[in-house]
Amino acid sequence: MDVSKTKTSFYRRLYVAYLIDSGVASNIPALTEATGMPRRTAQDTVAALADLDIICEFEQEQGARNHAGRYRIRDWGAIDRGWIEGNLQRIKAVLEYP
């Protein structure tokens, strides 16, 4: 499948936001496990959600050390989460994720 870098980057951000919001993968280790992407790519993708006006915040676990906690989507901005759910298989196919 011939797909532009812009599309794969956009879909990767949507998919990561969906995984965080659905609770499937709400921290970097879980994201790397769910997607197979390198740790740095996962970190960069979470940071880039703000470029799409998706508000994603990290919640530190009480009493935990070393950034133990989880990400939470606070606002999807102009993105329709329902569209992501309806096109999940297509997004995963473009990204070549299982």
Side-chain angles (χ1 to χ4, degrees):
M1 181 182 298
D2 190 27
V3 182
S4 72
K5 288 183 180 181
T6 301
K7 187 175 211 170
T8 56
S9 176
F10 180 64
Y11 277 13
R12 184 178 304 109
R13 292 175 191 186
L14 294 181
Y15 189 55
V16 164
Y18 173 79
L19 290 174
I20 291 169
D21 195 50
S22 65
V24 170
S26 59
N27 58 38
I28 298 301
L31 285 170
T32 60
E33 185 177 326
T35 63
M37 70 175 72
R39 180 179 188 81
R40 185 65 196 176
T41 302
Q43 291 170 325
D44 291 346
T45 302
V46 170
L49 294 177
D51 292 342
L52 299 178
D53 287 332
I54 297 173
I55 299 172
C56 180
E57 297 175 346
F58 186 78
E59 296 177 343
Q60 180 81 23
E61 289 180 16
Q62 286 189 352
R65 298 168 70 182
N66 301 327
H67 303 288
R70 62 178 295 214
Y71 289 99
R72 184 178 303 263
I73 302 298
R74 294 286 181 205
D75 191 331
W76 281 91
I79 303 298
D80 178 6
R81 186 185 189 280
W83 183 90
I84 298 168
E85 283 183 314
N87 291 278
L88 202 52
Q89 293 308 313
R90 181 170 131 205
I91 292 169
K92 289 169 65 174
V94 166
L95 297 173
E96 299 179 349
Y97 291 159

